[in-house]
Amino acid sequence: MRKWLAAVVVLAVAGILIGMVVIPAVAQGGGGAAVPTSISYQGYLTDDNGDPIPGPVNITFTIYTELSGGTPVWSEVHTGIQPDNGLFSAELGGNGSPMSAAIFDGDRYLGVKVGADVEMTPRQKIT
């Protein structure tokens, strides 16, 4: 009789623990997280003297497969960014070029180009 009671208690505890994990996961869409289609990016722009750039500026963001050279796998231009004392933010992928999971298959590097200037170096590794 005690073995039967112990088995029922073990099954009840296991059921409670499974319910605590599975039910919330199912309620949130099956437990799998969706891949985001955009990334928030913040930067600080200065001129050659180190003074903040007042803006507005156009910034081209490009994701590459290599630290230098390589193949662009995604690109987007943000026009009229208005830095605040040099600080700015942008939603990459939120300006008409959404990102897909395939873009991040392997090491990737972000290139940033302001206006007609050359792309900044080094590119930033996306982690």
Side-chain angles (χ1 to χ4, degrees):
M1 182 76 158
R2 287 185 183 183
K3 289 182 182 179
W4 180 80
L5 182 59
V8 169
V9 170
V10 168
L11 288 174
V13 170
I16 291 170
L17 291 174
I18 290 171
M20 291 172 63
V21 173
V22 173
I23 292 172
V26 170
Q28 293 179 8
V35 175
T37 59
S38 64
I39 298 173
S40 294
Y41 182 85
Q42 295 178 339
Y44 180 68
L45 295 174
T46 61
D47 61 18
D48 292 338
N49 297 323
D51 296 322
I53 292 178
V57 294
N58 297 337
I59 303 178
T60 303
F61 299 95
T62 306
I63 297 177
Y64 295 90
T65 58
E66 303 292 330
L67 179 59
S68 62
T71 305
V73 294
W74 176 89
S75 187
E76 183 173 78
V77 178
H78 287 249
T79 59
I81 290 181
Q82 185 65 54
D84 182 7
N85 202 24
L87 296 171
F88 74 93
S89 64
E91 183 183 354
L92 309 186
N95 199 28
S97 300
M99 299 176 176
S100 68
I103 290 173
F104 300 102
D105 188 19
D107 289 341
R108 297 296 185 251
Y109 301 87
L110 179 65
V112 179
K113 180 178 179 284
V114 178
D117 292 349
V118 298
E119 187 176 271
M120 295 181 198
T121 57
R123 294 176 183 155
Q124 302 168 18
K125 185 171 184 179
I126 299 174
T127 58

